[in-house]
Amino acid sequence: MYLPTDDCRTDLTLSTHAPLPAYDVVIPCYNRAHVVADALESVLAQEHAPTRVVLVDDGSSDSSAAVIRRLAAMHANVEAAVLPRNGGASNARNVGVSLCTAPWVAFLDSDDVWLAGAARALLERSAGHDIVVGFFARVEGNAVPDEPECGWSGGDIRRALASGGVIGPSWSIVRRATVTAVAGFDPSFHNCNDWDFYTRAAADGARFARIDRCVALYRTVAGARLVDDEAINAVNARRVRAHPYLADLLQPA
């Protein structure tokens, strides 16, 4: 298992503020039998523990379903949802959130991990907001993590989203009511699905906040990945930018 370095951990200081809101975590998994336990372990190790963790196997062809069932059997607050066929990350996240009950929900990819104190750091900014975003650090294999980064400066969220997919599920947390208000993630997107989701949430009036803390490791590990065809990426990017919330801003002066 990959363990975060001490340098990454020191970015998150624990505090003793008022009680934080409850949250659930959804971890979609497709052919990630070799790493999904790392993602789960990083969530269960949080000092502010989740109410429930939903592991969703998205029709994997490896042993992910068996691993997920075993992990769920080991922990009372972990639930397994095994889908009969692969429907994409959007559908898997929607299935997961349908099983959630807490007021906040996080979507952690199965090849990523949270750092110690991530949940507390994100939820300490939850009052008055609907989506809280932190920093993440890229990790190639078992190498030392890169410098923390975040695509959103914390300024105008509309302009930021017009520039691209600046927020990722693994380093943010969302009110469950916000997810349901926009009908979750659009399954017709097999990439750019998170960019589309945050755009629709912003258009619906979601209030965004950013914290200057590194909360997740974005890992590059062996295994199947989302569609990486440049032509498909370009088509989906145009679809997101065509949303009226962004299209008006992108019109030539």
Side-chain angles (χ1 to χ4, degrees), residues 22-234:
Y23 70 102
D24 294 328
V25 180
V26 174
I27 302 178
C29 178
Y30 179 63
N31 290 348
R32 295 291 185 189
H34 55 306
V35 291
V36 65
D38 293 353
L40 176 62
E41 182 179 338
S42 76
V43 171
L44 296 180
Q46 294 297 308
E47 178 265 343
H48 179 48
T51 301
R52 174 180 299 176
V53 182
V54 183
L55 300 173
V56 184
D57 178 66
D58 188 22
S60 296
S61 58
D62 68 355
S63 60
S64 292
V67 170
I68 281 172
R69 287 191 177 104
R70 176 176 57 81
L71 292 170
M74 293 168 56
H75 304 281
N77 64 336
V78 176
E79 183 169 351
V82 178
L83 305 183
R85 63 186 61 85
N86 177 248
S90 293
N91 180 65
R93 290 179 185 135
N94 291 342
V95 169
V97 81
S98 73
L99 299 172
C100 293
T101 58
W104 286 81
V105 61
F107 300 96
L108 178 64
D109 287 348
S110 57
D111 51 345
D112 297 337
V113 293
W114 266 359
L115 298 178
R120 175 173 288 279
L122 290 165
L123 288 168
E124 280 180 342
R125 285 294 307 278
S126 61
H129 299 102
D130 303 301
I131 298 175
V132 183
V133 183
F135 279 63
F136 68 95
R138 297 178 190 270
V139 179
E140 297 288 336
N142 288 334
V144 174
D146 292 345
E147 287 296 311
E149 59 182 284
C150 182
W152 176 40
S153 69
D156 187 337
I157 188 62
R158 186 183 180 206
R159 290 190 176 279
L161 289 167
S163 72
V166 296
I167 301 173
S170 291
W171 48 95
S172 60
I173 198 163
V174 189
R175 283 191 194 273
R176 186 164 56 89
T178 298
V179 181
T180 57
V182 297
F185 292 79
D186 185 344
S188 71
F189 282 87
H190 288 282
N191 53 14
C192 298
N193 52 66
D194 43 2
W195 181 12
D196 168 73
F197 168 75
Y198 294 113
T199 295
R200 289 185 292 108
D204 196 56
R207 300 160 296 178
F208 288 69
R210 200 198 72 172
I211 61 170
D212 294 330
R213 303 285 186 89
C214 184
V215 297
L217 297 183
Y218 178 71
R219 304 197 299 173
T220 299
V221 298
R225 307 199 67 81
L226 292 173
V227 175
D228 194 24
D229 184 289
E230 289 186 6
I232 295 175
N233 286 342

